[in-house]
Amino acid sequence: MKHMTKGPVLIVVAACVLLAVAAPLFAHHGTAAFDTTKTVTVTGVVKEFVFVNPHAQIYFECKNDKGEPEPWQGELTAPTKLSRAGWTKNTLKPGDTITASGNVLKTGAHTMWIRKLMGPSGELQLAEE
Amino acid sequence: MRLNSIDALLAITATFVFSCSLVAQNAPLAKAPSPPAPVHDISGVWFLRSPAAMSSFTNFTFTKEEPELTAWGKEKYSEAHAANGGKYTMETTNDPVLTKCDPPGTPRVYFHPYPFEFVQTPKYTLMLYEYDHTVRRIYTDGRALPSDPDITWMGTSVGHWEGDTTFVVDTVGINDKTWLDRLGHPHTADLHVNERFRRVDRDHMQIDFTMTDPKALTKPWTSTFYYELRPTWEIGEISCAGDYQQFNKFESGK
């Protein structure tokens, strides 16, 4: 992760409390593949937003500390839950800058379970209530 | 106001007194003021809102304590590799819903974190669960529960009203491939599920569950869950086929 210490924002914080509160939102499958002991924050540009079951996906691109593009994948909850929170398939568009905080895969792959998301117009609600 | 105060006190007590868990689990939330329940009407969209003392488990099982399983039940339970506890991933779980998109069955359908809707007609009431288009048809035309039911994923259900606001549903003939909950507690085809949908006021409903299955459970497994009306919500689409299987690839980061 040291390559992320410049350019993109990288913050690692304890996430136990957040996990306890947010876990039901992600309850259709396990979270064992994700490192839930750390929260990672990255800023990047949306390449594609896919509003699909079972969980919506954001494909976005960050830059590493060498300025090289780095692909990321972010996961949200189900489209129905996002709809009730005001989302549509057009809420995020290619070119939008986002800052996503969440847990990444234990494998180190740039796949994030997003727990907090800032979009072009501010923070986005990630569940119906 | 007095009731609200008592409810609040119960909720606070339930949060801290885990040793009295049976009492604690049944402690209701402090309720917002609501008009009385209408007569013989539970139509609408409902969403699980658990008291604090229950929220740690109501997304995957009925009670904080393990149910009392028979030897057969314990053996079958040991074979279940549930994915939500953190021990198993999508690649290692044998959860029939997540790996094969099997229908969840009654009562496991309550452990998908999505709302459901009641649609009442003169001769039956439909339960439309948002998860995977799951439908239960509860007959209210006076027919008896079948004594030798055909086996289906969601079972055969009959219902009747007790008093003005309690809808009682009995269900039998549930496929034994389904789990009772997300943890994998087993049942046989002899499972009998009794649900008492008690609309305590317009905005709140409680469901008393009783699962009886002598081959799997040494005594009936009981719990009460808490729901709130969501009058502005509509049931959407959560499909399993084709979607969930893709998650193996996603979660493993391949």
Side-chain angles (χ1 to χ4, degrees):
Chain A
M1 285 294 178
K2 62 182 180 181
H3 57 289
M4 295 296 295
T5 53
K6 297 177 184 174
V9 181
L10 172 63
I11 304 169
V12 178
V13 296
C16 296
V17 173
L18 184 61
L19 174 64
V21 171
L25 307 181
F26 202 71
H28 99 256
H29 61 79
T31 58
F34 291 90
D35 180 359
T36 54
T37 65
K38 288 185 290 190
T39 295
V40 174
T41 299
V42 293
T43 295
V45 176
V46 173
K47 307 298 285 186
E48 185 180 11
F49 174 50
V50 188
F51 200 53
V52 295
N53 282 316
H55 293 166
Q57 311 288 331
I58 307 171
Y59 298 91
F60 59 106
E61 186 175 279
C62 300
K63 285 189 166 47
N64 65 19
D65 57 0
K66 297 175 184 172
E68 298 163 339
E70 200 169 63
W72 279 74
Q73 179 181 14
E75 179 176 6
L76 302 169
T77 188
T80 55
K81 287 179 171 288
L82 292 171
S83 293
R84 289 189 283 264
W87 288 63
T88 72
K89 64 181 180 181
N90 299 315
T91 295
L92 291 176
K93 297 178 286 297
D96 286 345
T97 296
I98 60 169
T99 297
S101 301
N103 306 121
V104 299
L105 287 174
K106 292 174 181 172
T107 62
H110 292 163
T111 295
M112 178 184 286
W113 165 16
I114 296 176
R115 317 295 285 273
K116 182 176 181 180
L117 183 62
M118 301 296 289
S121 303
E123 184 168 357
L124 290 156
Q125 189 177 330
L126 299 182
E128 60 244 298
E129 56 185 36
Chain B
M1 286 302 292
R2 182 169 176 270
L3 273 178
N4 283 346
S5 300
I6 293 171
D7 288 350
L9 181 60
L10 284 171
I12 292 167
T13 304
T15 304
F16 295 104
V17 186
F18 291 106
S19 59
C20 300
S21 52
L22 190 60
V23 174
Q25 284 170 20
N26 291 333
L29 288 170
K31 294 191 287 286
S34 168
V39 174
H40 292 183
D41 182 2
I42 49 172
S43 58
V45 175
W46 297 89
F47 194 53
L48 179 70
R49 301 306 288 164
S50 297
M54 297 178 68
S55 58
S56 64
F57 63 84
T58 51
N59 275 285
F60 52 87
T61 192
F62 284 104
T63 53
K64 191 176 178 67
E65 305 78 21
E66 283 289 312
E68 296 190 20
L69 299 172
T70 62
W72 179 89
K74 290 175 182 173
E75 174 67 23
K76 291 291 288 183
Y77 185 41
S78 71
E79 298 169 3
H81 296 168
N84 57 297
K87 187 175 180 181
Y88 299 101
T89 68
M90 282 292 288
E91 289 192 323
T92 57
T93 182
N94 60 4
D95 184 326
V97 170
L98 298 184
T99 59
K100 295 186 287 188
C101 279
D102 277 1
T106 303
R108 185 243 170 93
V109 66
Y110 289 99
F111 299 107
H112 292 274
Y114 309 108
F116 61 82
E117 181 175 14
F118 280 106
V119 178
Q120 293 181 226
T121 80
K123 293 188 175 180
Y124 54 81
T125 290
L126 298 177
M127 289 190 77
L128 311 177
Y129 297 86
E130 186 166 86
Y131 173 73
D132 205 25
H133 314 280
T134 305
V135 177
R136 292 173 64 195
R137 184 182 295 257
I138 301 163
Y139 292 102
T140 54
D141 55 3
R143 71 182 66 185
L145 206 60
S147 58
D148 186 18
D150 293 333
I151 301 300
T152 60
W153 291 104
M154 303 307 293
T156 297
S157 300
V158 299
H160 67 277
W161 287 93
E162 286 187 9
D164 289 342
T165 58
T166 298
F167 186 54
V168 181
V169 176
D170 288 286
T171 303
V172 295
I174 304 164
N175 193 322
D176 62 4
K177 292 179 181 175
T178 66
W179 291 356
L180 289 174
D181 58 10
R182 290 176 65 99
L183 295 182
H185 288 106
H187 70 86
T188 73
D190 293 332
L191 172 66
H192 181 132
V193 178
N194 175 266
E195 296 154 286
R196 296 177 62 83
F197 299 92
R198 292 184 289 110
R199 190 169 188 173
V200 295
D201 57 31
R202 186 195 64 186
D203 298 336
H204 300 87
M205 179 174 68
Q206 299 174 13
I207 309 178
D208 300 328
F209 294 98
T210 302
M211 281 75 71
T212 305
D213 187 350
K215 187 177 177 186
L217 302 165
T218 60
K219 69 173 188 180
W221 192 13
T222 63
S223 187
T224 298
F225 275 18
Y226 297 80
Y227 293 81
E228 289 182 3
L229 188 67
R230 290 290 179 267
T232 64
W233 287 13
E234 296 175 351
I235 295 294
E237 180 184 71
I238 300 284
S239 64
C240 184
D243 292 328
Y244 277 33
Q245 274 69 25
Q246 295 299 315
F247 260 58
N248 289 327
K249 184 177 178 182
F250 174 78
E251 271 204 334
S252 61
K254 293 175 182 173

